[in-house]
Amino acid sequence: GAGFLTHPKGSVILVDSVETAENVLIWAVDAFTDLPIGQKKAAFTGYFSYQSNNYGRNYQLGGGSQDVFTGYVMYFQGGLVLPNNGKFAWQPYVTLTQKHINALDSSPTDYGIGINALISGHNAKLTLEYRHLDLIGKDDSNQIIFQAAIFL
């Protein structure tokens, strides 16, 4: 898929103590694949996205945000649904996020490894993931995340 957002004079930056309006342009492309493997409901799943953020010259949201900035983000997630009976399946996966923040001339990289338990097809899912976040100017963050999703 692909999409974009544009907002003329959508952000304001300070240039020599003068507020200056900047145009905002965000665009992204992404792709997903689910490739069956063999006869026992195994599959490779992959997702990739690229997002270009332009909030204005060297824009970065106050407080050192690594979420709202001028630059780009690339994200990849790849997993393998292990052979299963269709009622319960394991899916180990890895993630990789690469950001480039223009204002800092820096490119933090985050990564994760996890496993999904797919229950009743895909009507419920339990996830356990280890995630490493590369925080600029701070100690890196290591997280263990457990989540549950239920389709009603």
Side-chain angles (χ1 to χ4, degrees):
F4 71 95
L5 174 139
T6 183
H7 187 188
K9 299 182 181 179
S11 68
V12 175
I13 63 171
L14 285 177
V15 177
D16 298 326
S17 299
V18 176
E19 291 184 354
T20 303
E22 295 280 326
N23 297 330
V24 172
L25 174 62
I26 301 169
W27 62 269
V29 294
D30 70 349
F32 174 79
T33 189
D34 185 8
L35 301 172
I37 301 170
Q39 300 296 316
K40 296 194 178 198
K41 301 186 191 284
F44 167 79
T45 58
Y47 176 75
F48 175 80
S49 67
Y50 177 89
Q51 180 174 318
S52 173
N53 304 315
N54 185 348
Y55 291 92
R57 290 168 288 180
N58 292 324
Y59 184 91
Q60 183 180 15
L61 186 65
S65 171
Q66 289 185 296
D67 295 321
V68 181
F69 56 86
T70 291
Y72 66 83
V73 179
M74 289 187 294
Y75 176 79
F76 169 79
Q77 183 178 63
L80 183 65
V81 178
L82 301 177
N84 65 87
N85 62 12
K87 295 182 181 180
F88 182 89
W90 292 105
Q91 181 189 32
Y93 66 89
V94 296
T95 65
L96 181 66
T97 305
Q98 174 72 52
K99 301 175 185 178
H100 182 78
I101 302 172
N102 291 2
L104 303 176
D105 194 28
S106 184
S107 298
T109 301
D110 305 334
Y111 58 87
I113 185 168
I115 191 159
N116 292 318
L118 307 172
I119 304 164
S120 186
H122 202 158
N123 290 319
K125 178 178 77 163
L126 300 174
T127 300
L128 181 63
E129 179 179 342
Y130 163 78
R131 188 178 299 162
H132 173 85
L133 302 177
D134 182 2
L135 303 176
I136 299 170
K138 302 177 187 174
D139 290 339
D140 291 355
S141 175
N142 295 297
Q143 304 172 344
I144 300 291
I145 299 163
F146 178 74
Q147 63 184 5
I150 300 170
F151 177 73
L152 299 177

